[in-house]
Amino acid sequence: MSPKSTAAGKQPLSHVQLERAADVFSTLSELSRLQLLQELMPGPRTVSELVEATGMKQANVSKQLGILRSNRLVERERDGNFMHYSIADPMVVHLCEVVCESLRRQAVREAGKYV
Amino acid sequence: MSPKSTAAGKQPLSHVQLERAADVFSTLSELSRLQLLQELMPGPRTVSELVEATGMKQANVSKQLGILRSNRLVERERDGNFMHYSIADPMVVHLCEVVCESLRRQAVREAGKYV
DNA sequence: TGCGCAAATCGCCATATAGTGATATAGATA
DNA sequence: TATCTATATCACTATATGGCGATTTGCGCA
């Protein structure tokens, strides 16, 4: 028999897995990085396009992209002077979807309280 | 027609939604809190059980549970002197699953490089 | 070789927070 | 009331990091 598909039926994660998960969540924990990822969702963007789109300073955009990249959430490709950044791991999109679903459920529940 | 189910087809998240998502990810970004959540996955636990299971100091367990609770990821119920904590939002479990899937895919890809 | 532009890096400061020991609070029990 | 236990909170330190201006690096091109 296959294990039940509930939390109780799952194997606990190893310490190393938990550490890596914490790293991923930590990478996504900053609004500026989520903004950058959101701008990358429709497709690749250069650093200057991201600066323009987010209003962040160039130094900061580069820094946050570096953090996203060292955590393998984005990748880049050079084109002359330009660097094209893109989302490297579809996990990012899924994670945001899961969070948003929960937020929507919460909103519905909150609204229900006052009906 | 319904929108495509790709990142490009999704509405961007509002600033407020992004902020809330950052909060959730931030709450999950700490190893100690992930450890606590993992201990809660099979079912409710008291603070002292969590202290015992994780090896963390009692003050720190209470503190981190407080953070999890203020972000609505866990809830608690009093039973005499004891507080029983439990996971309040199944999102937590889903998020960990999504991250782990990605880690597994990465591991497979890494292994493939050296075959 | 030198110039100009895009991006990355450096040094710095300000802030946030994990973890700690000590203490306070709240419920049970006598 | 006094006291014991479980949990929460306080005050503090140490560390990590976001954001910034200044500078450097890497590439294309004259």
Side-chain angles (χ1 to χ4, degrees):
Chain A
M1 276 184 60
S2 64
K4 290 196 307 174
S5 143
T6 65
K10 305 242 179 242
Q11 295 295 329
L13 304 181
S14 73
H15 191 81
V16 173
Q17 284 177 310
L18 270 192
E19 277 180 341
R20 175 66 184 137
D23 285 342
V24 170
F25 290 131
S26 182
T27 306
L28 296 173
S29 70
E30 194 61 27
L31 184 59
S32 59
R33 288 192 288 269
L34 289 185
Q35 287 178 146
L36 291 171
L37 287 171
Q38 172 143 289
E39 294 298 330
L40 292 179
M41 290 210 184
R45 294 282 183 277
T46 66
V47 175
S48 13
E49 285 171 336
L50 292 170
V51 169
E52 163 76 15
T54 62
M56 295 164 60
K57 303 278 182 179
Q58 181 266 321
N60 194 24
V61 169
S62 275
K63 186 172 175 173
Q64 304 309 326
L65 286 171
I67 292 171
L68 288 167
R69 202 165 76 93
S70 67
N71 282 274
R72 299 166 186 269
L73 300 189
V74 304
E75 57 198 4
R76 66 180 180 184
E77 199 173 342
R78 184 179 280 285
D79 171 25
N81 278 338
F82 295 86
M83 280 291 187
H84 294 268
Y85 278 84
S86 55
I87 291 181
D89 193 332
M91 166 185 68
V92 171
V93 180
H94 292 146
L95 289 178
C96 287
E97 281 170 18
V98 171
V99 172
C100 286
E101 264 175 51
S102 165
L103 295 184
R104 247 170 293 158
R105 275 198 304 273
Q106 265 183 36
V108 170
R109 232 176 304 140
E110 290 295 319
K113 280 186 186 172
Y114 307 109
V115 170
Chain B
M1 275 183 62
S2 64
K4 291 196 307 177
S5 142
T6 64
K10 304 243 182 242
Q11 293 296 331
L13 304 181
S14 73
H15 191 80
V16 173
Q17 283 176 311
L18 271 192
E19 277 180 339
R20 175 65 186 140
D23 285 342
V24 170
F25 290 132
S26 181
T27 306
L28 296 173
S29 70
E30 195 60 28
L31 185 59
S32 59
R33 287 191 289 266
L34 288 184
Q35 288 178 143
L36 291 171
L37 287 171
Q38 171 143 288
E39 294 299 330
L40 293 179
M41 290 210 185
R45 294 283 183 275
T46 66
V47 175
S48 13
E49 285 170 337
L50 292 169
V51 169
E52 163 76 14
T54 62
M56 294 165 60
K57 304 277 182 177
Q58 180 264 320
N60 196 24
V61 169
S62 274
K63 184 173 177 171
Q64 304 309 326
L65 287 173
I67 292 170
L68 289 167
R69 201 164 77 93
S70 66
N71 282 274
R72 299 166 185 268
L73 300 188
V74 304
E75 57 198 3
R76 67 181 179 182
E77 199 171 343
R78 184 178 281 285
D79 171 25
N81 279 339
F82 294 87
M83 280 291 188
H84 295 268
Y85 279 83
S86 55
I87 291 181
D89 193 332
M91 166 185 69
V92 171
V93 180
H94 292 146
L95 289 178
C96 287
E97 280 170 19
V98 171
V99 171
C100 285
E101 265 176 50
S102 165
L103 295 183
R104 246 170 299 167
R105 276 197 304 272
Q106 265 182 37
V108 170
R109 235 177 302 142
E110 290 296 316
K113 282 187 187 171
Y114 308 108
V115 171

